Amino acid sequence: MGSGPASSGRPTISDVAAAAGVGRASAARALGGYGAVSPELRRRVEEAAAALGYRSNALARNLSLGSSRTLGVVVADIANPFFAGVVRGITDTARRAGLDTVVLNTDEDLDDEAHAVEVLLEKSVDGLVVATAAGADAPVPHLHEAAAQVPLVLVDRVVHGLAVDSVTIDNAAAARAGTAALLEAGHRRVGLVWGPALQPVPAQRGRLLSALDSAVSTGADRVRGYLDALRAARVPFDPDLVALTESTVEAAQDATDRMLDLPDPATALLTTDDFALLGVLRVLGRRGLRPGADVSLVGFDDVPWAELWSPPLTMIAQPLLALGTEVAELLLARIGGRDDPPRAVRLPAQLVRRDSIGPR
């Protein structure tokens, strides 16, 4: 072998090449796993790298090959178990394909989302997954610009006019099934906690449907499913039974108290995520009311503790890992060169019946 490194500090690829007695380009090919390298040369380079304690710069090596081997994921709320499950599906699938994943959170803030997308593009990710905070009809220049640079897949939410792949849950069908289960038990005063933040709630069903066009698609579709179930059962729409508020436990508590204090109170409630469910359960507990016996209840997101509640809660289970897996597979296919028209994949949810629905 040649002499030791001429430089000080962390050894470089040039130091490894000098120690192995080969050219820098040959050392880079041997350590990078690309190009033609003889077994003997690879052995010498690897031994020199080990002796020097050299660690390769994976990002620089991959960029030289036109790839960072990294996916960027932007989610609206990583504290929400829904997004945690989806991200797990994405990262597991990416890892099996030999890619790393960088996840950024936006707290449902569109400016933070635009910044997160910019940061990931600057890091030269190979593709992006975004759960956007934008309404379905909102202008999203940052997403249009991103889609012009790298493959982009939307998850959980869609934006009209953005020609990219998307993977969502059939939220309208899921909410329709949950509401129908309450109606079939004889309830006619079914409350919804909550939908997109629209205040005040339009007093007419048609105006509410029109207002939903500007909202985040997931929440809007759940309200549509709720309204569809009411119409199918010929139950009048009552705006006092619909909470379209900010997504906090406290807002869900306030909405639940209001619905239960009406002259003709709600006898059943559909909650659209686990934070809304928690707010409802706090109010029921404070009032000494039991799900199923006093107020019937259906929740979204089949969190593990729902089955352990007393009584066990009827929930709408969403295939979170399957959602994340489908997203990652679509993105990897685009990165690999697939160029067919954008796909809109919609996965079904499942109503898991337990004991929180009782007769009116």
Side-chain angles (χ1 to χ4, degrees):
M1 288 188 179
S3 60
S7 60
S8 61
R10 181 176 176 177
T12 67
I13 188 69
S14 297
D15 297 328
V16 173
V22 301
R24 187 181 185 282
S26 296
R29 286 196 300 272
L31 293 176
Y34 63 94
V37 178
S38 70
E40 172 60 20
L41 189 147
R42 186 184 305 279
R43 181 189 63 77
R44 287 164 54 194
V45 170
E46 289 176 348
E47 288 179 354
L52 295 174
Y54 171 79
R55 295 185 62 186
S56 65
N57 185 332
L59 176 60
R61 182 182 71 244
N62 287 329
L63 288 178
S64 71
L65 300 174
S67 168
S68 67
R69 305 295 294 169
T70 305
L71 303 183
V73 179
V74 179
V75 296
D77 183 6
I78 195 62
N80 188 321
F82 171 86
F83 287 114
V86 172
V87 168
R88 176 63 185 270
I90 294 171
T91 56
D92 285 355
T93 306
R95 186 184 308 113
R96 287 192 294 268
L99 277 74
D100 294 320
T101 308
V102 178
V103 182
L104 297 181
N105 182 65
T106 69
D107 286 326
E108 299 281 6
D109 185 281
L110 202 53
D111 289 335
D112 286 350
E113 175 181 310
H115 177 69
V117 169
E118 181 182 4
V119 167
L120 291 171
L121 291 175
E122 288 177 351
K123 293 185 178 299
S124 300
V125 294
D126 293 333
L128 278 172
V129 176
V130 178
T132 183
D137 287 337
V140 283
H142 63 290
L143 295 184
H144 284 280
E145 292 170 7
Q149 299 180 52
V150 297
L152 168 66
V153 178
L154 296 180
V155 62
D156 185 50
R157 294 101 180 262
V158 298
V159 177
H160 301 148
L162 183 60
V164 299
D165 295 323
S166 64
V167 185
T168 61
I169 300 296
D170 192 343
N171 286 288
R176 186 163 54 246
T179 307
L182 295 167
L183 294 168
E184 289 164 3
H187 296 277
R188 292 298 177 264
R189 300 289 290 170
V190 179
L192 175 71
V193 186
W194 53 59
L198 300 173
Q199 293 293 334
V201 179
Q204 288 78 35
R205 180 179 183 278
R207 290 185 179 178
L208 175 55
L209 287 170
S210 178
L212 292 174
D213 291 339
S214 63
V216 173
S217 64
T218 301
D221 285 346
R222 292 177 183 178
V223 178
R224 292 187 180 100
Y226 165 82
L227 295 175
D228 286 348
L230 294 182
R231 183 175 61 177
R234 299 184 178 180
V235 173
F237 163 64
D238 184 347
D240 287 337
L241 292 177
V242 177
L244 305 183
T245 68
E246 60 181 349
S247 300
T248 66
V249 173
E250 292 72 23
Q253 292 178 228
D254 292 343
T256 304
D257 275 322
R258 178 177 57 77
M259 292 181 188
L260 295 180
D261 288 337
L262 291 171
D264 189 6
T267 64
L269 297 168
L270 173 71
T271 64
T272 61
D273 77 9
D274 50 307
F275 293 128
L277 176 64
L278 181 58
V280 169
L281 290 172
R282 284 182 177 178
V283 171
L284 296 186
R286 171 164 41 83
R287 291 176 177 241
L289 302 175
R290 279 174 58 82
D294 302 303
V295 177
S296 289
L297 183 60
V298 173
F300 257 87
D301 298 339
D302 193 16
V303 289
W305 52 262
E307 188 175 8
L308 304 177
W309 200 266
S310 180
L313 303 177
T314 295
M315 302 291 287
I316 297 169
Q318 303 186 82
L320 307 185
L321 287 176
L323 186 65
T325 298
E326 184 71 27
V327 166
E329 289 178 348
L330 273 175
L331 187 57
L332 291 171
R334 293 295 183 190
I335 293 171
R338 199 184 76 198
D339 60 356
D340 57 320
R343 299 185 180 187
V345 178
R346 186 173 292 174
L347 302 180
Q350 178 185 6
L351 181 66
V352 181
R353 292 181 179 269
R354 298 193 181 105
D355 300 327
S356 61
I357 299 179
R360 181 173 57 179

